[in-house]
Amino acid sequence: MAQESLRLVSHPIAAHDGRLPRHYTLEGQGAKKDISPPLEWYGVPDGTRSLALVVQDIDAPDPEGPIGLPEGFSGKESTAGRKFGGIQESVNDWKQPGWRGHIPTSRGHHIQLKLYALDDEVHLGNKARHHRVATFELGLVTKDKLMEAIEGHVLGEAELTAVF
């Protein structure tokens, strides 16, 4: 039997026809704002030892040039990392760990969530914790550094794009 391909799913995004609901952005209201969307993945390849998740606004200008995760997941809470298999977060563009909602300057931006199944753990140095790293809008540890670290270790990848 052939193994299923790695898939990444977010039911709230799918329920909104591929649009990112407001409460996952800085435009949400009260407690329903700036929280990460729930994510599920299926078909993790045999031999996977860790997963890396990169979230980026692919329409944003480049700053140097032109299991699953529940809604509101935060590895900052000491029990959350243990409860979800030791998942830890890197820093974002605000130099803080975890999700920060998007607030692009205009509508129509595409928020890309890309999941990588890896045959090894990722070690990114002191600025990012390792072991099943979930990376959100990489800041101090750049996306380029992550991509370099996982080169040759990717067993599968899945992508989900939401429109803001």
Side-chain angles (χ1 to χ4, degrees):
M1 175 187 264
Q3 186 168 352
E4 152 183 34
S5 296
L6 184 62
R7 291 184 304 125
L8 181 61
V9 176
S10 178
H11 295 291
I13 292 171
H16 284 87
D17 296 323
R19 294 200 154 300
L20 191 65
R22 280 184 72 181
H23 58 277
Y24 301 128
T25 74
L26 290 173
E27 290 185 345
Q29 301 276 325
K32 279 294 206 177
K33 95 176 200 184
D34 201 19
I35 59 175
S36 63
L39 300 174
E40 297 175 12
W41 45 86
Y42 304 94
V44 175
D46 292 339
T48 297
R49 293 194 52 210
S50 64
L51 299 167
L53 177 70
V54 176
V55 179
Q56 64 180 356
D57 179 346
I58 58 176
D59 297 318
D62 183 340
E64 297 194 14
I67 34 253
L69 295 179
E71 178 177 277
F73 171 80
S74 173
K76 294 178 277 191
E77 301 161 9
S78 59
T79 58
R82 287 190 296 273
K83 182 176 177 183
F84 294 101
I87 293 173
Q88 298 196 11
E89 302 164 320
S90 180
V91 295
N92 55 37
D93 286 343
W94 288 271
K95 300 189 178 12
Q96 301 169 344
W99 176 270
R100 282 299 305 263
H102 296 79
I103 189 156
T105 55
S106 63
R107 295 286 178 194
H109 282 238
H110 293 82
I111 309 304
Q112 179 189 65
L113 299 95
K114 199 157 189 180
L115 182 68
Y116 298 91
L118 309 172
D119 67 1
D120 201 357
E121 293 180 1
V122 178
H123 301 277
L124 297 172
N126 293 333
K127 299 218 187 236
R129 298 178 185 111
H130 63 276
H131 185 62
R132 298 184 188 209
V133 177
T135 57
F136 300 95
E137 289 290 311
L138 295 173
L140 295 175
V141 176
T142 66
K143 178 185 172 196
D144 290 340
K145 286 182 183 176
L146 173 69
M147 299 312 292
E148 182 180 313
I150 69 173
E151 187 175 341
H153 296 284
V154 177
L155 297 174
E157 56 187 74
E159 182 179 311
L160 172 66
T161 301
V163 177
F164 176 80

